[in-house]
Amino acid sequence: MSDRAALLKGIRAWLAFFVVCLVLSGATAFPLVHELRWTEDVLRSLSVPDHVPALMDWIERVRHGLDTADADYPFLLYGTDWLAFAHLVIAVAFYGPYRDPVRNIWVVEFAMIACAGIVPLALICGPLRGIPFWWSVIDMSFGVFGVIPLYVVRKKIKRLETLTGPNTAGALAA
């Protein structure tokens, strides 16, 4: 296998991994009420309330809020449906770099910027919404861990660009 083919295969594997994670992250926003009930049951069966009571208190509070919203204000959960949809739409954008990485490196760079944006969003909006700091750290980890495969992909695309040259970038789609 040539260096070009190996790089392209690696880029596509990392992109596929990132897209799968993005889709799973988005898909979990649809059934929030049921997921949280299930999570609470699992945590109770693992005796989490005895070992990490602050986590259990937070899960109970969030579950109660979601149950109330679901029963009395279900339209509020429509916002999480849009959040899920946005994840799925963003995942589709990665078809461009999958098909032609050099030409569509901007999608990867845009996603890296979005990952960086998660940190200030969590630090600013978390306290405004009464989110415990430790939960904001969990939210920030999505940006920190999300940027890792994107960084690897960007480096590989830059190497691929040096191998293919600027005039042959469009030929990668073939």
Side-chain angles (χ1 to χ4, degrees):
M1 182 182 299
S2 70
D3 287 346
R4 181 187 168 282
L7 276 171
L8 195 55
K9 184 177 179 180
I11 289 166
R12 288 177 172 165
W14 277 103
L15 285 172
F17 170 74
F18 185 80
V19 165
V20 166
C21 291
L22 191 59
V23 167
L24 290 174
S25 176
T28 61
F30 285 117
L32 279 180
V33 174
H34 304 292
E35 283 176 342
L36 208 50
R37 288 180 190 152
W38 176 82
T39 300
E40 187 177 13
D41 291 343
V42 168
L43 293 176
R44 286 190 190 291
S45 72
L46 296 172
S47 302
V48 169
D50 300 333
H51 304 292
V52 192
L55 172 62
M56 204 62 213
D57 291 345
W58 175 248
I59 295 296
E60 288 172 353
R61 181 174 183 215
V62 173
R63 189 217 15 96
H64 175 72
L66 282 173
D67 284 346
T68 301
D70 190 38
D72 299 337
Y73 313 102
F75 54 86
L76 291 175
L77 298 177
Y78 189 53
T80 61
D81 296 337
W82 280 103
L83 170 71
F85 178 71
H87 277 75
L88 302 177
V89 169
I90 293 166
V92 171
F94 283 90
Y95 177 68
Y98 186 89
R99 194 173 61 85
D100 188 344
V102 173
R103 186 176 195 188
N104 293 295
I105 193 172
W106 69 270
V107 175
V108 174
E109 293 169 340
F110 172 80
M112 292 173 77
I113 293 167
C115 284
I118 291 171
V119 175
L121 177 81
L123 289 173
I124 294 167
C125 294
L128 291 175
R129 303 289 185 206
I131 306 298
F133 179 72
W134 57 267
W135 194 265
S136 292
V137 171
I138 292 170
D139 289 339
M140 288 184 280
S141 74
F142 282 90
V144 172
F145 291 117
V147 81
I148 293 170
L150 295 170
Y151 177 75
V152 170
V153 166
R154 187 180 183 284
K155 280 184 67 169
K156 288 180 177 290
I157 291 173
K158 286 297 192 180
R159 274 192 278 162
L160 182 64
E161 184 178 37
T162 62
L163 289 177
T164 58
N167 296 333
T168 58
L172 290 175

